[in-house]
Amino acid sequence: MKVPLIFSVHLLLLAGLSFAAAGQTPSGAAKSILSGAADRRSLKLVVYNNDLALVNEKRLLRAARGSFELRFQDVGRQIIPASLVLETGGRLTVLEQHYAYNLLTKDRLLESYLGRPVTLERLDPRTNTRERVSGTLLSLAGGTVIRFEDHVEIDPQGTFILPEVPAEFVIQPALTWLVKASASGDCPLEVSYLTRGLSWSCDYVLTLEGGGDKARLAGWVTVNNSSGTDYDGAELSLVAGELNLVQTPPAPGRPEMTMKSFAPQLAARAMGDQMTPEQGFEYYRYHLGRVTSLPNNELKQVELFQPAGLAPRKTYRFEGAGNLYYGPLPSPPGPRQVSVLLEWENGAKNAPGVPLPAGVIRIYERSGDDAPWFLGEDRIGHTPLEEKISIRAGSAFDLLAVEKQIDYRKLSDRLRQVSVEIELTNRKTVEATVEVDEPLPGDWKITENSLPFERLQADRIRFRPKVPAGGKTRVSFTVQVL
């Protein structure tokens, strides 16, 4: 049966495991069974883009008939408690479960000694020897305050010497249940839960060849494990899509996990492995067809697909400023450069011909036997099949544009008439076609235009002038804006 649980997470100090070795809980009320990674029979990870993963694992443990405490170890430190689902195959009945998370840290350990005696070891400047002095820890708010026998010190120098670690602290997370076995023997367990601290991202490498009309696209995914535990021998799937998640405050006492808390290492690439996309619900899942290991505090790269050929189109585009329609403006300070974009359809004619997860595309060019050189990078969103991909590499060095307001008139309290000119300069040795996109506010009407235009959407038009080699072209229009 499947039981959604609110569970208990305990950190078990090695020094305090004598009761477990004896088969008793601390209170001696019931036998205790520990289950760790060695009991795993299978492990599956489904990792999402937004710092979330679904962990599913099956374990086999041997239990005697009757009640006992089950401690399920080797789980992540950032479990979402309410997401837990336990399936026992009818062999076990869950009698009790609760959630307690008190991870051992320096600050929490000191807080547990507030109002209690502590010992401070420090250097005596008079004798240049180390001494131990005892006092009472009064406060940690805004600094350390200790009352010694005849005085009080604020932020004293030295090292705390404490007699013990209180039993309520834990150093390794474990799920804890009080269960009852209907018979002695092997008990299969299947546990599923959501956890933070696992995420993935996608990176692409686009290498231009043959003057830029041909290219090869390679894709890699990077999986980041900062969940607090190792996942060895896992079946790995990655989900691309935007999940709706309810925003809830973090559980009290949950440790803050940031990139500063560890030094990630980039694992070696596993050449030849690819991830197969599979559609499910309204998302795509990319499955790695082998087991892999994800050590804690490590980044691992896996090939999404092998380098595939495609034929990108190079496009030059100038984006109007959009601020010319609200009042008279002075002449612009100088020319602006024109963006260069690479575009193609993500379909059967352009490999890899699979849905592409969101990620960063880095662009390189290789000419002959020369080493490739970096051209720029851009980010794409989740891109289904047969959708256009458009990435901005940078700005064209030899293409310049000057946009200026030629005339501004108020025809009435609400109606304005604006004349605009865009001068394009081409310093190349070949002709260039530049897409000129102009944003227009409110209700508008073009009354004069030097070139035909395309209405892209309600507030945007596009001209496509050809600019001769070493020459200039002007695009002008007059618009009435309400």
Side-chain angles (χ1 to χ4, degrees):
M1 61 179 176
K2 293 185 177 180
V3 185
L5 303 174
I6 302 297
F7 54 82
S8 171
V9 178
H10 291 281
L11 294 179
L12 307 175
L13 293 174
L14 295 179
L17 289 178
S18 58
F19 64 83
Q24 297 291 324
T25 63
S27 63
K31 294 181 180 180
S32 178
I33 294 181
L34 301 181
S35 175
D39 298 325
R40 282 176 182 158
R41 295 301 178 263
S42 70
L43 174 62
K44 297 180 181 179
L45 297 178
V46 182
V47 186
Y48 300 84
N49 292 116
N50 46 354
D51 188 38
L52 185 69
L54 173 63
V55 180
N56 174 272
E57 60 173 299
K58 296 180 181 179
R59 296 186 186 181
L60 186 66
L61 58 91
R62 190 165 187 83
R65 184 176 181 271
S67 299
F68 59 91
E69 185 183 68
L70 172 60
R71 296 181 178 177
F72 198 88
Q73 296 180 314
D74 295 315
V75 295
R77 293 172 180 259
Q78 301 187 59
I79 290 174
I80 299 175
S83 69
L84 180 69
V85 176
L86 170 65
E87 186 174 358
T88 66
R91 298 295 302 274
L92 299 176
T93 301
V94 177
L95 303 177
E96 183 179 314
Q97 64 277 330
H98 60 95
Y99 179 61
Y101 199 98
N102 201 8
L103 187 65
L104 177 64
T105 65
K106 181 187 75 172
D107 291 340
R108 292 178 188 167
L109 182 57
L110 286 176
E111 286 174 0
S112 71
Y113 276 84
L114 284 171
R116 298 173 57 186
V118 295
T119 300
L120 203 65
E121 183 178 89
R122 59 187 178 183
L123 185 67
D124 186 343
R126 296 168 299 178
T127 62
N128 200 31
T129 59
R130 300 194 70 82
E131 64 172 359
R132 291 190 177 186
V133 292
S134 296
T136 301
L137 183 60
L138 299 180
S139 176
L140 294 170
T144 303
V145 181
I146 300 179
R147 182 177 60 217
F148 295 100
E149 183 177 357
D150 56 354
H151 67 283
V152 173
E153 292 189 23
I154 298 175
D155 292 331
Q157 298 295 316
T159 302
F160 281 99
I161 307 296
L162 304 177
E164 63 180 0
V165 175
E168 66 265 21
F169 287 113
V170 290
I171 58 173
Q172 287 186 349
L175 312 180
T176 303
W177 301 283
L178 181 62
V179 297
K180 182 177 182 180
S182 58
S184 300
D186 291 339
C187 296
L189 294 179
E190 182 176 356
V191 174
S192 300
Y193 58 86
L194 294 173
T195 180
R196 300 292 182 183
L198 280 163
S199 62
W200 70 282
S201 60
C202 193
D203 293 273
Y204 302 93
V205 174
L206 181 68
T207 304
L208 303 181
E209 301 171 343
D213 56 345
K214 295 181 181 180
R216 295 182 67 80
L217 181 68
W220 289 84
V221 294
T222 302
V223 185
N224 177 16
N225 179 14
S226 59
S227 65
T229 191
D230 299 333
Y231 294 101
D232 297 322
E235 298 180 34
L236 178 64
S237 296
L238 309 176
V239 173
E242 301 298 329
L243 280 71
N244 183 56
L245 299 174
V246 177
Q247 298 299 317
T248 56
R254 170 173 291 176
E256 182 181 1
M257 298 295 292
T258 67
M259 291 298 288
K260 294 181 181 179
S261 65
F262 65 95
Q265 299 177 358
L266 189 62
R269 295 181 173 183
M271 299 299 294
D273 294 314
Q274 296 185 74
M275 306 201 77
T276 305
E278 174 189 358
Q279 188 172 19
F281 190 61
E282 297 299 325
Y283 314 122
Y284 274 92
R285 183 170 67 173
Y286 297 80
H287 181 68
L288 181 63
R290 60 176 177 85
V291 297
T292 188
S293 294
L294 295 176
N296 185 43
N297 294 344
E298 181 169 297
L299 305 178
K300 173 168 285 192
Q301 276 195 321
V302 180
E303 190 176 39
L304 180 63
F305 54 81
Q306 292 182 351
L310 54 86
R313 302 180 301 275
K314 184 189 293 183
T315 301
Y316 299 112
R317 185 172 298 161
F318 174 75
E319 183 81 16
N323 63 343
L324 306 176
Y325 309 100
Y326 304 98
L329 290 177
S331 298
R336 295 160 52 198
Q337 289 186 299
V338 174
S339 296
V340 55
L341 299 93
L342 296 172
E343 299 179 323
W344 68 93
E345 281 70 35
N346 183 36
K349 295 181 180 179
N350 285 306
V354 297
L356 298 180
V360 175
I361 297 184
R362 294 176 178 87
I363 310 163
Y364 298 82
E365 184 176 54
R366 182 185 294 274
S367 300
D369 296 331
D370 294 339
W373 53 306
F374 181 59
L375 304 181
E377 63 184 14
D378 201 359
R379 181 178 294 276
I380 64 170
H382 297 307
T383 307
L385 285 173
E386 307 305 330
E387 288 294 320
K388 185 172 78 171
I389 295 176
S390 180
I391 56 174
R392 182 180 183 273
S395 299
F397 192 91
D398 292 321
L399 292 174
L400 301 173
V402 176
E403 182 183 38
K404 54 187 175 182
Q405 185 189 81
I406 302 300
D407 186 48
Y408 177 89
R409 299 181 186 182
K410 290 195 67 173
L411 303 182
S412 69
D413 289 344
R414 298 181 57 198
L415 185 62
R416 295 155 287 166
Q417 180 171 290
V418 183
S419 296
V420 177
E421 180 183 89
I422 300 113
E423 182 181 74
L424 301 166
T425 301
N426 181 9
R427 298 304 184 191
K428 295 176 175 290
T429 58
V430 294
E431 181 184 76
T433 298
V434 179
E435 294 181 350
V436 177
D437 288 5
E438 186 67 27
L440 297 172
D443 294 331
W444 54 269
K445 178 182 178 182
I446 300 289
T447 58
E448 295 181 25
N449 49 288
S450 62
L451 292 174
F453 66 88
E454 175 187 1
R455 184 167 181 158
L456 299 178
Q457 54 194 50
D459 60 349
R460 185 174 295 269
I461 61 174
R462 174 175 291 170
F463 297 91
R464 288 187 172 86
K466 296 182 183 296
V467 188
K472 298 177 183 289
T473 294
R474 289 182 174 85
V475 177
S476 61
F477 62 92
T478 299
V479 60
Q480 293 182 354
V481 179
L482 189 61

